[in-house]
Amino acid sequence: MKSGLNLRAASRALKAFGLSAALVALPQVAFAAAASPVPAYSTPAAGAPGAQAPVAADKGAGAVEAAGNPLNTSGPTADAAAAPGYTPMKPTPGIGMPVDGGIGLQKQFSPFGEYGRWIHDIVLIPLIAAITVFVLALLVWVAVRYNRRANPVASRTSHNTLLEVAWTLVPVLILVCIAVPSIDLIAKQYKPAPKSALTIKITGNQWFWSYGYPDNGDFEVNSYMLNLPGQPVINAGVREVGSKPWDGPSHMEVDNRLVVPAGEPIRLQITAADVIHSFAVPSLWFKLDAVPGRINEKVLFIEKPGVYYGQCSELCGVKHGYMPIAVEALPRAQYNAWVLGHPGGLIDGQKKLIDATAQAPAAGADETADPADNASEAVPAVETTSSPAA
Protein backbone atom coordinates (compact mmCIF):
# COMPACT_ATOMS: atom_id res chain seq x y z
CA MET A 1 0.00 0.00 0.00
CA LYS A 2 2.74 2.36 0.99
CA SER A 3 4.73 1.52 -2.16
CA GLY A 4 1.73 2.45 -4.34
CA LEU A 5 1.35 5.80 -2.59
CA ASN A 6 5.06 6.46 -3.03
CA LEU A 7 4.86 5.66 -6.75
CA ARG A 8 1.89 8.01 -7.25
CA ALA A 9 3.68 10.82 -5.34
CA ALA A 10 6.82 10.32 -7.42
CA SER A 11 4.72 10.38 -10.62
CA ARG A 12 3.06 13.67 -9.62
CA ALA A 13 6.41 15.21 -8.75
CA LEU A 14 7.86 14.12 -12.10
CA LYS A 15 4.90 15.63 -14.00
CA ALA A 16 5.23 18.91 -12.06
CA PHE A 17 8.95 19.09 -12.83
CA GLY A 18 8.30 18.45 -16.54
CA LEU A 19 5.61 21.15 -16.67
CA SER A 20 7.93 23.65 -14.96
CA ALA A 21 10.73 22.89 -17.40
CA ALA A 22 8.38 23.34 -20.35
CA LEU A 23 7.17 26.70 -19.06
CA VAL A 24 10.76 27.91 -18.59
CA ALA A 25 11.87 26.77 -22.05
CA LEU A 26 8.77 28.04 -23.93
CA PRO A 27 9.72 31.78 -24.00
CA GLN A 28 13.24 30.95 -25.12
CA VAL A 29 11.99 28.72 -27.93
CA ALA A 30 9.51 31.37 -29.05
CA PHE A 31 12.19 34.08 -29.01
CA ALA A 32 14.57 31.90 -31.03
CA ALA A 33 11.83 31.18 -33.58
CA ALA A 34 10.95 34.87 -33.93
CA ALA A 35 14.55 36.03 -34.37
CA SER A 36 15.50 36.66 -37.97
CA PRO A 37 18.29 34.44 -39.24
CA VAL A 38 21.69 36.07 -39.72
CA PRO A 39 22.71 35.93 -43.38
CA ALA A 40 25.99 34.29 -44.14
CA TYR A 41 28.36 36.67 -45.92
CA SER A 42 31.22 35.37 -47.97
CA THR A 43 34.46 37.28 -48.24
CA PRO A 44 35.41 38.11 -51.86
CA ALA A 45 38.60 36.48 -53.02
CA ALA A 46 41.72 38.63 -53.19
CA GLY A 47 41.70 40.67 -56.40
CA ALA A 48 37.98 40.21 -57.00
CA PRO A 49 35.77 43.29 -57.39
CA GLY A 50 34.81 44.71 -54.03
CA ALA A 51 37.56 42.85 -52.18
CA GLN A 52 39.41 44.83 -49.52
CA ALA A 53 43.13 44.97 -49.10
CA PRO A 54 44.48 42.52 -46.52
CA VAL A 55 44.41 43.95 -42.99
CA ALA A 56 46.78 42.73 -40.31
CA ALA A 57 45.04 41.16 -37.34
CA ASP A 58 45.03 43.20 -34.16
CA LYS A 59 47.75 41.67 -32.01
CA GLY A 60 46.26 40.06 -28.94
CA ALA A 61 42.72 41.29 -29.59
CA GLY A 62 41.15 37.87 -29.03
CA ALA A 63 42.97 37.26 -25.79
CA VAL A 64 42.17 40.74 -24.48
CA GLU A 65 38.47 40.43 -25.33
CA ALA A 66 38.30 36.96 -23.79
CA ALA A 67 39.82 38.36 -20.60
CA GLY A 68 36.95 40.82 -20.33
CA ASN A 69 38.94 43.96 -21.17
CA PRO A 70 37.09 46.44 -23.42
CA LEU A 71 38.53 46.86 -26.89
CA ASN A 72 39.45 50.30 -28.17
CA THR A 73 37.77 49.87 -31.52
CA SER A 74 38.85 53.33 -32.65
CA GLY A 75 42.38 52.06 -33.03
CA PRO A 76 45.53 54.13 -33.30
CA THR A 77 43.70 56.76 -35.37
CA ALA A 78 42.02 57.93 -32.16
CA ASP A 79 45.38 58.74 -30.61
CA ALA A 80 45.94 62.16 -29.08
CA ALA A 81 47.76 63.58 -32.12
CA ALA A 82 44.72 62.99 -34.36
CA ALA A 83 43.31 66.45 -33.56
CA PRO A 84 44.52 68.89 -36.24
CA GLY A 85 46.76 71.67 -35.04
CA TYR A 86 47.61 69.86 -31.83
CA THR A 87 50.77 68.03 -30.89
CA PRO A 88 50.85 66.43 -27.45
CA MET A 89 53.28 67.95 -24.99
CA LYS A 90 56.40 66.01 -24.09
CA PRO A 91 56.58 65.45 -20.31
CA THR A 92 59.56 66.62 -18.28
CA PRO A 93 61.36 63.71 -16.56
CA GLY A 94 60.78 63.77 -12.82
CA ILE A 95 58.03 66.41 -13.03
CA GLY A 96 54.43 65.31 -12.51
CA MET A 97 55.40 61.67 -12.19
CA PRO A 98 56.91 59.26 -9.64
CA VAL A 99 60.70 59.00 -9.51
CA ASP A 100 63.00 56.15 -8.56
CA GLY A 101 63.84 56.15 -4.87
CA GLY A 102 61.37 58.91 -4.05
CA ILE A 103 60.31 58.97 -0.38
CA GLY A 104 58.58 62.34 -0.06
CA LEU A 105 55.71 64.13 -1.74
CA GLN A 106 55.92 64.86 -5.44
CA LYS A 107 56.66 68.41 -6.49
CA GLN A 108 53.36 70.30 -6.39
CA PHE A 109 51.85 72.44 -9.16
CA SER A 110 48.60 73.61 -7.60
CA PRO A 111 47.88 76.08 -4.76
CA PHE A 112 46.29 73.33 -2.66
CA GLY A 113 49.31 71.11 -3.23
CA GLU A 114 51.72 73.79 -2.09
CA TYR A 115 49.61 74.39 1.03
CA GLY A 116 49.42 70.66 1.72
CA ARG A 117 53.16 70.27 1.27
CA TRP A 118 53.73 73.16 3.67
CA ILE A 119 51.60 71.39 6.29
CA HIS A 120 53.56 68.18 5.70
CA ASP A 121 57.04 69.73 5.78
CA ILE A 122 56.60 72.53 8.33
CA VAL A 123 53.93 71.19 10.69
CA LEU A 124 53.75 67.40 10.62
CA ILE A 125 57.36 66.32 10.10
CA PRO A 126 58.80 68.58 12.88
CA LEU A 127 56.07 67.44 15.30
CA ILE A 128 56.63 63.78 14.45
CA ALA A 129 60.40 64.19 14.86
CA ALA A 130 60.04 66.01 18.20
CA ILE A 131 57.61 63.41 19.59
CA THR A 132 59.84 60.55 18.46
CA VAL A 133 62.94 62.05 20.06
CA PHE A 134 61.07 62.90 23.28
CA VAL A 135 59.61 59.40 23.68
CA LEU A 136 63.00 57.81 22.93
CA ALA A 137 64.65 60.03 25.56
CA LEU A 138 61.99 59.06 28.12
CA LEU A 139 62.52 55.37 27.43
CA VAL A 140 66.29 55.68 27.82
CA TRP A 141 65.94 57.75 31.02
CA VAL A 142 63.47 55.29 32.58
CA ALA A 143 65.64 52.31 31.64
CA VAL A 144 68.75 53.87 33.17
CA ARG A 145 67.27 55.61 36.21
CA TYR A 146 64.68 53.08 37.32
CA ASN A 147 66.24 49.69 36.69
CA ARG A 148 66.59 47.20 39.59
CA ARG A 149 70.27 47.92 40.13
CA ALA A 150 69.97 51.75 40.27
CA ASN A 151 66.68 51.74 42.16
CA PRO A 152 66.41 48.63 44.37
CA VAL A 153 63.45 50.02 46.35
CA ALA A 154 60.56 50.76 43.98
CA SER A 155 58.45 53.85 44.56
CA ARG A 156 54.84 53.31 45.61
CA THR A 157 53.64 56.66 44.20
CA SER A 158 50.33 56.17 42.39
CA HIS A 159 49.31 59.74 41.46
CA ASN A 160 51.03 62.91 40.31
CA THR A 161 48.54 65.66 39.51
CA LEU A 162 50.97 67.91 37.65
CA LEU A 163 52.24 65.05 35.47
CA GLU A 164 48.73 63.80 34.65
CA VAL A 165 47.54 67.28 33.65
CA ALA A 166 50.63 67.75 31.47
CA TRP A 167 50.33 64.47 29.58
CA THR A 168 46.66 65.24 28.90
CA LEU A 169 47.00 68.86 27.76
CA VAL A 170 50.15 68.53 25.67
CA PRO A 171 48.63 65.96 23.23
CA VAL A 172 45.50 68.12 22.98
CA LEU A 173 47.62 71.13 22.01
CA ILE A 174 49.51 69.02 19.46
CA LEU A 175 46.24 67.87 17.87
CA VAL A 176 44.99 71.47 17.71
CA CYS A 177 48.19 72.54 15.93
CA ILE A 178 47.57 69.81 13.34
CA ALA A 179 43.80 70.33 13.05
CA VAL A 180 43.72 74.07 12.35
CA PRO A 181 45.68 74.06 9.05
CA SER A 182 44.26 70.67 8.05
CA ILE A 183 40.63 71.78 8.37
CA ASP A 184 41.48 75.01 6.56
CA LEU A 185 43.00 73.03 3.67
CA ILE A 186 39.96 70.73 3.44
CA ALA A 187 37.58 73.73 3.41
CA LYS A 188 39.54 75.42 0.63
CA GLN A 189 39.73 72.24 -1.48
CA TYR A 190 35.95 71.80 -1.50
CA LYS A 191 35.04 75.43 -2.06
CA PRO A 192 32.69 75.57 -5.10
CA ALA A 193 34.18 76.59 -8.42
CA PRO A 194 33.35 80.02 -9.86
CA LYS A 195 30.18 80.13 -11.93
CA SER A 196 32.16 80.84 -15.10
CA ALA A 197 34.62 77.97 -14.58
CA LEU A 198 35.08 75.36 -17.30
CA THR A 199 33.28 72.09 -16.49
CA ILE A 200 34.75 68.69 -17.41
CA LYS A 201 33.02 65.40 -16.62
CA ILE A 202 35.16 62.35 -15.76
CA THR A 203 33.76 58.82 -15.79
CA GLY A 204 35.60 55.78 -14.45
CA ASN A 205 35.09 52.52 -16.33
CA GLN A 206 36.51 49.03 -16.05
CA TRP A 207 39.26 49.78 -16.92
CA PHE A 208 39.71 53.15 -18.61
CA TRP A 209 38.67 56.77 -18.15
CA SER A 210 36.20 58.82 -20.20
CA TYR A 211 36.52 62.61 -20.35
CA GLY A 212 33.49 64.67 -21.42
CA TYR A 213 33.56 68.38 -22.28
CA PRO A 214 29.98 69.70 -21.92
CA ASP A 215 31.12 73.34 -22.18
CA ASN A 216 33.09 72.68 -25.36
CA GLY A 217 30.49 71.07 -27.60
CA ASP A 218 29.80 68.03 -25.42
CA PHE A 219 32.32 65.73 -27.11
CA GLU A 220 33.97 62.86 -25.22
CA VAL A 221 37.28 61.01 -25.42
CA ASN A 222 38.29 57.66 -23.92
CA SER A 223 41.68 57.24 -22.30
CA TYR A 224 43.36 53.82 -22.45
CA MET A 225 46.78 52.85 -21.14
CA LEU A 226 49.35 52.23 -23.87
CA ASN A 227 50.66 48.70 -24.30
CA LEU A 228 54.10 47.70 -23.07
CA PRO A 229 56.72 46.57 -25.61
CA GLY A 230 57.47 42.87 -25.42
CA GLN A 231 54.63 42.16 -22.99
CA PRO A 232 51.07 40.82 -23.44
CA VAL A 233 48.64 43.27 -24.99
CA ILE A 234 46.52 45.14 -22.43
CA ASN A 235 44.32 47.27 -24.69
CA ALA A 236 43.87 45.97 -28.23
CA GLY A 237 44.04 48.61 -30.93
CA VAL A 238 46.19 50.96 -28.85
CA ARG A 239 49.82 51.53 -29.79
CA GLU A 240 52.84 50.70 -27.65
CA VAL A 241 54.41 53.20 -25.28
CA GLY A 242 57.59 54.77 -26.64
CA SER A 243 56.40 54.78 -30.25
CA LYS A 244 55.80 58.56 -30.18
CA PRO A 245 58.27 61.26 -29.10
CA TRP A 246 55.86 62.70 -26.53
CA ASP A 247 55.28 59.46 -24.64
CA GLY A 248 55.90 59.47 -20.90
CA PRO A 249 56.78 56.55 -18.62
CA SER A 250 55.40 53.07 -19.19
CA HIS A 251 52.34 51.99 -17.18
CA MET A 252 51.36 55.70 -17.00
CA GLU A 253 51.06 57.00 -20.58
CA VAL A 254 47.72 56.86 -22.40
CA ASP A 255 46.43 57.33 -25.93
CA ASN A 256 44.22 60.31 -25.03
CA ARG A 257 45.14 62.56 -22.13
CA LEU A 258 42.81 64.73 -20.09
CA VAL A 259 43.55 68.09 -21.75
CA VAL A 260 42.77 71.17 -19.64
CA PRO A 261 43.69 74.87 -19.67
CA ALA A 262 46.39 75.96 -17.23
CA GLY A 263 46.14 78.93 -14.91
CA GLU A 264 42.39 78.88 -14.30
CA PRO A 265 39.96 77.00 -12.03
CA ILE A 266 38.31 73.95 -13.59
CA ARG A 267 35.19 72.24 -12.26
CA LEU A 268 35.70 68.47 -12.37
CA GLN A 269 32.56 66.36 -12.00
CA ILE A 270 33.48 62.74 -11.39
CA THR A 271 31.35 59.59 -11.51
CA ALA A 272 31.64 55.91 -12.47
CA ALA A 273 29.82 53.58 -14.84
CA ASP A 274 30.29 50.29 -13.00
CA VAL A 275 32.21 50.11 -9.70
CA ILE A 276 33.93 52.63 -7.43
CA HIS A 277 37.09 54.16 -8.91
CA SER A 278 39.24 57.02 -7.60
CA PHE A 279 40.71 59.82 -9.72
CA ALA A 280 44.06 60.76 -8.17
CA VAL A 281 46.97 62.90 -9.43
CA PRO A 282 49.58 63.31 -6.64
CA SER A 283 51.50 66.27 -8.15
CA LEU A 284 48.25 68.27 -8.36
CA TRP A 285 47.08 67.35 -4.84
CA PHE A 286 43.90 65.94 -6.33
CA LYS A 287 42.00 62.82 -5.35
CA LEU A 288 38.27 62.19 -5.57
CA ASP A 289 36.25 58.98 -5.65
CA ALA A 290 34.18 58.07 -8.70
CA VAL A 291 30.98 56.45 -7.40
CA PRO A 292 28.29 54.90 -9.67
CA GLY A 293 25.04 56.87 -9.63
CA ARG A 294 26.63 59.85 -7.93
CA ILE A 295 28.53 62.94 -9.11
CA ASN A 296 31.35 64.23 -6.91
CA GLU A 297 32.68 67.70 -7.66
CA LYS A 298 35.97 69.40 -6.92
CA VAL A 299 38.04 72.28 -8.29
CA LEU A 300 41.28 71.66 -10.15
CA PHE A 301 43.77 74.51 -10.64
CA ILE A 302 47.08 73.86 -12.42
CA GLU A 303 49.58 76.66 -12.09
CA LYS A 304 51.70 76.02 -15.17
CA PRO A 305 51.52 74.01 -18.43
CA GLY A 306 52.85 70.48 -18.27
CA VAL A 307 51.96 66.79 -18.16
CA TYR A 308 50.96 65.29 -14.83
CA TYR A 309 50.40 61.59 -14.18
CA GLY A 310 48.20 59.73 -11.72
CA GLN A 311 46.44 56.41 -11.24
CA CYS A 312 43.12 54.99 -10.15
CA SER A 313 43.46 54.72 -6.38
CA GLU A 314 40.51 52.49 -5.58
CA LEU A 315 40.72 48.73 -6.06
CA CYS A 316 38.27 48.33 -8.95
CA GLY A 317 38.90 44.89 -10.41
CA VAL A 318 41.43 42.68 -12.10
CA LYS A 319 42.76 45.45 -14.40
CA HIS A 320 42.92 48.09 -11.65
CA GLY A 321 46.64 48.60 -12.24
CA TYR A 322 46.08 49.39 -15.92
CA MET A 323 43.98 52.57 -15.82
CA PRO A 324 46.46 55.43 -15.35
CA ILE A 325 45.65 59.13 -15.59
CA ALA A 326 47.54 61.63 -17.75
CA VAL A 327 46.58 65.31 -17.41
CA GLU A 328 47.97 67.74 -19.98
CA ALA A 329 47.67 71.41 -19.03
CA LEU A 330 47.98 73.80 -21.98
CA PRO A 331 47.96 77.59 -22.33
CA ARG A 332 44.45 78.79 -23.12
CA ALA A 333 45.16 79.49 -26.81
CA GLN A 334 46.53 75.97 -27.37
CA TYR A 335 43.65 74.46 -25.42
CA ASN A 336 41.18 76.29 -27.65
CA ALA A 337 42.95 74.94 -30.72
CA TRP A 338 42.72 71.41 -29.30
CA VAL A 339 38.98 71.84 -28.65
CA LEU A 340 38.30 73.10 -32.17
CA GLY A 341 40.07 70.04 -33.57
CA HIS A 342 37.17 67.85 -32.41
CA PRO A 343 33.91 67.55 -34.38
CA GLY A 344 31.43 70.04 -32.93
CA GLY A 345 34.04 71.56 -30.63
CA LEU A 346 33.22 75.01 -29.22
CA ILE A 347 35.23 77.38 -27.08
CA ASP A 348 33.49 77.50 -23.71
CA GLY A 349 33.44 81.33 -23.57
CA GLN A 350 32.09 81.51 -27.13
CA LYS A 351 29.30 79.05 -26.32
CA LYS A 352 28.24 81.05 -23.28
CA LEU A 353 28.22 84.27 -25.31
CA ILE A 354 26.05 82.68 -28.00
CA ASP A 355 23.60 81.38 -25.38
CA ALA A 356 23.38 84.76 -23.67
CA THR A 357 22.89 86.56 -26.97
CA ALA A 358 20.16 84.15 -28.04
CA GLN A 359 18.28 84.64 -24.77
CA ALA A 360 18.55 88.42 -24.44
CA PRO A 361 19.77 90.37 -27.50
CA ALA A 362 21.08 93.82 -26.68
CA ALA A 363 18.81 96.75 -27.40
CA GLY A 364 19.60 98.37 -30.73
CA ALA A 365 21.89 95.56 -31.80
CA ASP A 366 21.83 94.32 -35.36
CA GLU A 367 19.82 91.09 -35.13
CA THR A 368 21.38 89.87 -38.39
CA ALA A 369 24.89 89.96 -36.95
CA ASP A 370 26.49 86.68 -36.05
CA PRO A 371 27.02 86.57 -32.26
CA ALA A 372 30.15 84.50 -32.82
CA ASP A 373 31.84 87.49 -34.49
CA ASN A 374 32.70 88.93 -31.08
CA ALA A 375 33.19 85.57 -29.38
CA SER A 376 36.88 86.17 -28.87
CA GLU A 377 36.03 88.98 -26.46
CA ALA A 378 34.36 86.45 -24.14
CA VAL A 379 37.55 84.44 -23.78
CA PRO A 380 39.97 86.55 -21.72
CA ALA A 381 43.67 85.99 -22.10
CA VAL A 382 44.98 83.97 -19.17
CA GLU A 383 48.55 84.28 -18.00
CA THR A 384 49.91 81.02 -16.64
CA THR A 385 51.74 81.50 -13.37
CA SER A 386 55.05 79.87 -12.67
CA SER A 387 55.23 77.40 -9.84
CA PRO A 388 57.37 78.73 -6.97
CA ALA A 389 58.76 75.23 -6.63
CA ALA A 390 59.89 75.10 -10.26
Side-chain angles (χ1 to χ4, degrees):
M1 184 70 178
K2 288 186 178 180
S3 61
L5 293 175
N6 292 338
L7 286 174
R8 284 195 294 272
S11 177
R12 286 196 296 268
L14 186 60
K15 289 180 180 179
F17 176 77
L19 180 61
S20 301
L23 291 174
V24 171
L26 184 60
Q28 300 178 4
V29 173
F31 179 79
S36 58
V38 180
Y41 293 97
S42 58
T43 303
Q52 295 182 347
V55 179
D58 194 354
K59 182 177 69 173
V64 172
E65 193 170 21
N69 201 31
L71 298 181
N72 183 0
T73 55
S74 301
T77 57
D79 197 23
Y86 163 71
T87 300
M89 184 182 297
K90 186 175 182 179
T92 303
I95 299 297
M97 64 182 73
V99 296
D100 292 338
I103 59 174
L105 298 176
Q106 291 186 23
K107 192 174 182 180
Q108 298 298 309
F109 294 92
S110 72
F112 301 140
E114 292 172 355
Y115 190 12
R117 184 162 189 167
W118 176 84
I119 295 175
H120 176 270
D121 295 345
I122 305 302
V123 179
L124 295 181
I125 294 299
L127 279 174
I128 292 171
I131 292 172
T132 302
V133 172
F134 177 69
V135 172
L136 178 61
L138 281 179
L139 289 174
V140 172
W141 181 62
V142 169
V144 173
R145 175 66 180 82
Y146 295 103
N147 61 64
R148 181 178 295 179
R149 185 182 308 163
N151 191 38
V153 180
S155 172
R156 295 182 177 276
T157 303
S158 59
H159 295 284
N160 187 309
T161 303
L162 181 61
L163 186 61
E164 291 175 0
V165 170
W167 72 38
T168 300
L169 290 182
V170 170
V172 170
L173 294 177
I174 293 174
L175 293 177
V176 170
C177 292
I178 296 174
V180 170
S182 299
I183 295 174
D184 183 48
L185 175 59
I186 293 174
K188 289 180 177 178
Q189 286 185 90
Y190 289 94
K191 185 178 179 180
K195 187 177 181 180
S196 59
L198 172 68
T199 298
I200 298 177
K201 183 180 179 182
I202 299 174
T203 304
N205 307 273
Q206 289 181 310
W207 288 270
F208 63 98
W209 297 96
S210 297
Y211 304 132
Y213 293 79
D215 287 348
N216 296 124
D218 208 18
F219 64 87
E220 186 177 83
V221 297
N222 292 331
S223 180
Y224 291 82
M225 189 185 99
L226 298 184
N227 295 310
L228 309 176
Q231 297 189 25
V233 173
I234 298 168
N235 291 310
V238 180
R239 61 181 177 83
E240 292 184 342
V241 66
S243 58
K244 299 290 185 181
W246 55 78
D247 284 349
S250 64
H251 293 86
M252 305 210 75
E253 192 56 83
V254 298
D255 58 348
N256 291 297
R257 296 168 177 168
L258 171 61
V259 180
V260 300
E264 60 182 84
I266 304 164
R267 181 187 296 105
L268 294 187
Q269 296 181 340
I270 301 177
T271 187
D274 33 54
V275 299
I276 298 178
H277 303 272
S278 185
F279 189 87
V281 185
S283 60
L284 302 178
W285 200 266
F286 192 98
K287 182 177 181 181
L288 194 62
D289 283 351
V291 182
R294 178 176 179 177
I295 294 180
N296 292 329
E297 184 175 300
K298 197 174 178 184
V299 178
L300 174 66
F301 188 100
I302 305 177
E303 293 179 331
K304 58 186 299 185
V307 183
Y308 310 93
Y309 294 97
Q311 177 63 275
C312 176
S313 297
E314 184 73 33
L315 189 59
C316 57
V318 65
K319 300 287 185 180
H320 162 68
Y322 300 111
M323 52 181 305
I325 300 162
V327 180
E328 182 172 343
L330 297 175
R332 186 34 116 149
Q334 295 182 25
Y335 173 77
N336 291 347
W338 176 83
V339 167
L340 295 177
H342 292 80
L346 290 172
I347 308 305
D348 43 300
Q350 174 179 335
K351 180 180 178 182
K352 292 171 184 175
L353 177 64
I354 293 176
D355 293 343
T357 307
Q359 293 175 4
D366 184 4
E367 296 181 358
T368 62
D370 185 359
D373 292 341
N374 298 324
S376 59
E377 298 177 3
V379 185
V382 178
E383 295 183 2
T384 56
T385 57
S386 300
S387 170

